[in-house]
């Protein structure tokens, strides 16, 4: 489903990824770990085609992203759900209206909007918040709304960048339960994180980067091998 073959990425002089190889199967849950600057965001940006690999191949399904024409990038993005580190919403719009903006932008017929929105709010446990404004939500609820927004079109792959940063431990655990619920429905989840407690509590496959190199690919790994 996702394949990196000898992928290197440079930004000018900066070598961000060095000959990275891995494969992720449909339905897997994978943590992407490593210190700041290790290359985690670069991997996510290569998958969304915000960036192109300098060499090697990034493949999603049957598509080599370096060969994907710009006018077809929207088809790739429809298969991806993205949860950024910062949850940015239209602040003067309700949850429903925020979701409508995404459905409109991705070309979903208006007759399907309300059903998709309700189904998604059920998934993230916020059925009662259809008409709430972002400012009325707690940090954890905002994160749920953001995860729902990423799931509106039921993507095959969910990419999440540090989704438990800034959450208290109990809320972080609730958010992880939501990711696992999504993952059980066959969505592949790739989660970049620094949260060692979460990685060590909910052990899953770990891809570890250090200075752009993939130094570990381990099933049910700890945050620190010797930790
Ligand atoms: P992480 O997400 O693990 O913190 P990044 O993928 O953001 O790591 O960064 C990997 C390396 O690439 C770092 O050295 C970073 O400074 C560099 N880098 C990332 N984006 C850019 C950019 N747009 N221009 C120049 N260097 C960049
Ligand atoms: P993170 O660790 O979450 O990736 P960063 O602060 O490293 O956050 O990066 C934030 C943004 O800045 C990213 O989009 C990254 O690509 C970009 N960036 C990182 N390093 C550089 C750099 N040296 N030059 C230009 N942009 C960079």
């Amino acid at each position: 489903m996702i394949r990196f073959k000898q992928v290197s990425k440079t930004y000018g002089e900066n070598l961000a990824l060095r000959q990275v190889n891995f494969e992720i199967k449909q339905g897997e849950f994978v943590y992407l770990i490593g210190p700041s600057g290790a290359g985690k965001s670069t991997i996510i940006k290569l998958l969304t085609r915000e960036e192109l690999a300098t060499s090697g191949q990034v493949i999603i399904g049957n598509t080599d992203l370096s060969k994907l024409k710009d006018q077809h990038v929207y088809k790739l993005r429809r298969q991806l759900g993205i949860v950024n580190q910062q949850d940015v919403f239209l602040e003067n719009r309700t949850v429903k209206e925020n979701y409508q903006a995404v459905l409109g932008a991705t070309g979903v017929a208006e007759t399907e909007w309300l059903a998709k929105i309700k189904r998604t709010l059920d998934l993230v446990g916020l059925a009662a918040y259809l008409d709430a404004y972002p400012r009325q939500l707690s940090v954890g609820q905002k994160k749920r709304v953001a995860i729902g927004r990423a799931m509106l079109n039921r993507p095959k792959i969910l990419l999440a960048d540090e989704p438990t940063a800034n959450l208290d431990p109990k809320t972080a655990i609730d958010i992880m339960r939501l990711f696992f619920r999504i993952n059980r429905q066959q969505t592949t989840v790739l989660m970049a994180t620094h949260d060692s407690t979460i990685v060590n509590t909910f052990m899953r496959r770990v891809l570890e980067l250090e200075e752009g190199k993939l130094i570990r690919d381990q099933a049910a790994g700890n945050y620190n091998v010797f930790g």
Side-chain angles (χ1 to χ4, degrees):
M1 138 124 303
I2 294 174
R3 197 155 173 210
F4 273 56
K5 278 163 90 175
Q6 292 288 105
V7 174
S8 295
K9 173 69 184 173
T10 57
Y11 298 99
E13 306 269 275
N14 265 351
L15 191 51
L17 291 178
R18 312 177 192 213
Q19 304 193 328
V20 169
N21 291 289
F22 63 85
E23 215 177 308
I24 296 175
K25 294 196 176 73
Q26 170 86 48
E28 277 198 87
F29 188 105
V30 181
Y31 293 117
L32 186 58
I33 72 168
S36 200
K40 304 180 297 296
S41 305
T42 299
I43 286 190
I44 290 181
K45 286 178 186 168
L46 290 173
L47 288 169
T48 58
R49 249 214 41 174
E50 283 165 80
E51 295 286 352
L52 279 169
T54 307
S55 62
Q57 288 174 292
V58 176
I59 297 165
I60 296 185
N62 298 318
T63 307
D64 178 341
L65 299 197
S66 69
K67 299 193 174 126
L68 186 65
K69 295 204 173 78
D70 286 344
Q71 65 262 37
H72 295 309
V73 168
Y74 77 97
K75 291 188 205 162
L76 166 76
R77 301 250 168 94
R78 273 207 303 232
Q79 298 181 50
L80 301 175
I82 301 161
V83 180
N84 291 310
Q85 203 168 339
Q86 305 294 337
D87 302 318
V88 178
F89 301 108
L90 304 169
E91 291 294 329
N92 306 323
R93 301 275 191 277
T94 63
V95 170
K96 180 169 87 176
E97 290 162 347
N98 270 273
Y99 281 7
Q100 284 171 342
V102 172
L103 292 168
T106 51
V108 176
E110 213 168 322
T111 50
E112 294 175 32
W113 288 2
L114 193 59
K116 282 199 186 227
I117 292 168
K118 286 188 167 169
R119 189 180 67 165
T120 300
L121 286 177
D122 280 340
L123 172 72
V124 302
L126 291 177
Y129 291 81
L130 193 68
D131 296 314
Y133 286 88
R135 63 173 174 277
Q136 298 173 308
L137 303 173
S138 68
V139 181
Q141 287 171 333
K142 281 188 195 177
K143 188 55 77 179
R144 284 174 185 276
V145 173
I147 294 167
R149 181 172 56 187
M151 290 303 296
L152 274 170
N153 289 317
R154 289 300 185 270
K156 296 198 190 91
I157 301 169
L158 183 61
L159 305 172
D161 196 359
E162 297 278 354
T164 62
N166 318 316
L167 299 180
D168 64 78
K170 185 186 169 299
T171 307
I173 288 169
D174 288 344
I175 292 296
M176 291 309 297
R177 293 217 171 97
L178 174 55
F179 279 116
F180 294 130
R181 183 188 311 155
I182 288 167
N183 179 237
R184 278 196 299 276
Q185 300 179 358
Q186 285 309 301
T187 300
T188 304
V189 180
L190 179 61
M191 170 175 159
T193 185
H194 282 117
D195 193 334
S196 56
T197 305
I198 289 293
V199 175
N200 293 341
T201 303
F202 301 100
M203 288 172 77
R204 291 291 188 282
R205 182 175 172 194
V206 169
L207 296 177
E208 182 173 2
L209 290 166
E210 191 180 272
E211 296 181 354
K213 278 201 298 216
L214 184 65
I215 59 164
R216 180 156 61 110
D217 180 353
Q218 185 180 21
N222 268 96
Y223 193 85
N224 293 113
V225 185
F226 305 111

